[in-house]
Amino acid sequence: NAGVTQTPKFQVLKTGQSMTLQCAQDMNHEYMSWYRQDPGMGLRLIHYSVGAGITDQGEVPNGYNVSRSTTEDFPLRLLSAAPSQTSVYFCASSYGTYNEQFFGPGTRLTVL
Amino acid sequence: AQKVTQAQTEISVVEKEDVTLDCVYETRDTTYYLFWYKQPPSGELVFLIRRNSFDEQNEISGRYSWNFQKSTSSFNFTITASQVVDSAVYFCALSEWGAQKLVFGQGTRLTINP
């Protein structure tokens, strides 16, 4: 099993550009989520999904879109990148929020 | 609303010392789950433990132990005889029943000096 994979590992964007962070898991988990990690802020939930076709907002959803067309994939889209979105992004999957979350290796994003 | 507070931003100790990382949580729910995760310098997030609100037994795993006290809404983590490899950022997290969200504390950066 590959577990949770994320691409790319590093990305530099200019303000206003858009991009998609990819996340995939091969554990047949229904629950998937995106977090951003900023110094001193811990991990903050951006969006989550409890199954294919179902998504909802987390704590800091502004500027991000998600979709879940399959159980395996949960991409995160930045519509118009801003310097405030410079962060490390983690994707996670699990059987539910009451279970161990399996995290991807993270994507380090810099917006200039 | 669920909230987790890790008041200790950074802790630095000398190897072989015992160290306790504090975690205080807030919830209005009677059913909830608490977690600890470790983030070593390499950056990945590693699951350490899960505890549900109905199980207040302390947990010990090798040099690691966890003290869950509902009366003080705390779920503290102790490392006994610390080692340099324990250096990492440690996160406490809370999930309320039905909330479908996992809320993390700010994290505690632990440095073990040789």
Side-chain angles (χ1 to χ4, degrees):
Chain A
N1 282 356
V4 180
T5 58
Q6 289 183 239
T7 55
K9 290 196 172 185
F10 301 95
Q11 183 71 49
V12 179
L13 292 178
K14 293 181 180 178
T15 297
Q17 288 185 316
S18 62
M19 79 159 296
T20 299
L21 306 185
Q22 301 292 343
C23 174
Q25 52 93 7
D26 61 359
M27 296 172 281
N28 203 32
H29 287 159
E30 290 295 328
Y31 187 87
M32 295 186 74
S33 54
W34 277 101
Y35 293 88
R36 59 178 289 173
Q37 182 178 15
D38 302 295
M41 305 288 288
L43 285 92
R44 292 182 293 169
L45 182 64
I46 304 172
H47 284 285
Y48 65 95
S49 169
V50 298
I54 307 170
T55 64
D56 206 344
Q57 297 180 353
E59 182 185 355
V60 287
N62 292 342
Y64 308 95
N65 269 1
V66 292
S67 60
R68 184 97 177 269
S69 55
T70 67
T71 299
E72 294 77 20
D73 300 298
F74 191 42
L76 178 72
R77 282 182 287 277
L78 280 71
L79 308 173
S80 177
S84 60
Q85 293 178 304
T86 293
S87 187
V88 180
Y89 291 85
F90 286 97
C91 178
S93 77
S94 71
Y95 290 111
T97 55
Y98 321 123
N99 302 99
E100 171 189 357
Q101 302 292 312
F102 292 83
F103 286 88
T107 295
R108 185 173 294 274
L109 175 68
T110 301
V111 183
L112 303 174
Chain B
Q2 50 191 43
K3 183 180 178 182
V4 176
T5 301
Q6 296 179 255
Q8 303 152 308
T9 305
E10 294 191 30
I11 299 174
S12 180
V13 300
V14 176
E15 201 173 19
K16 297 183 184 171
E17 285 187 21
D18 298 347
V19 58
T20 295
L21 283 60
D22 298 332
C23 172
V24 174
Y25 62 92
E26 295 177 28
T27 177
R28 286 175 288 192
D29 220 329
T30 56
T31 304
Y32 52 89
Y33 290 79
L34 294 161
F35 303 81
W36 276 94
Y37 286 85
K38 174 182 180 179
Q39 187 177 41
S42 51
E44 73 273 22
L45 285 147
V46 179
F47 167 81
L48 294 177
I49 190 172
R50 179 185 79 158
R51 174 69 69 208
N52 74 56
S53 54
F54 298 107
D55 183 2
E56 285 195 75
Q57 280 193 353
N58 289 337
E59 177 96 8
I60 299 175
S61 177
R63 296 182 297 105
Y64 294 174
S65 63
W66 290 268
N67 184 299
F68 176 30
Q69 290 197 334
K70 288 175 74 171
S71 60
T72 56
S73 297
S74 64
F75 187 43
N76 297 337
F77 173 32
T78 297
I79 301 175
T80 303
S82 59
Q83 299 177 2
V84 172
V85 294
D86 295 326
S87 295
V89 180
Y90 291 87
F91 292 99
C92 181
L94 165 69
S95 178
E96 291 177 338
W97 182 258
Q100 297 179 331
K101 299 177 183 180
L102 185 62
V103 173
F104 284 81
Q106 302 92 320
T108 296
R109 181 177 299 277
L110 176 64
T111 302
I112 311 296
N113 299 296

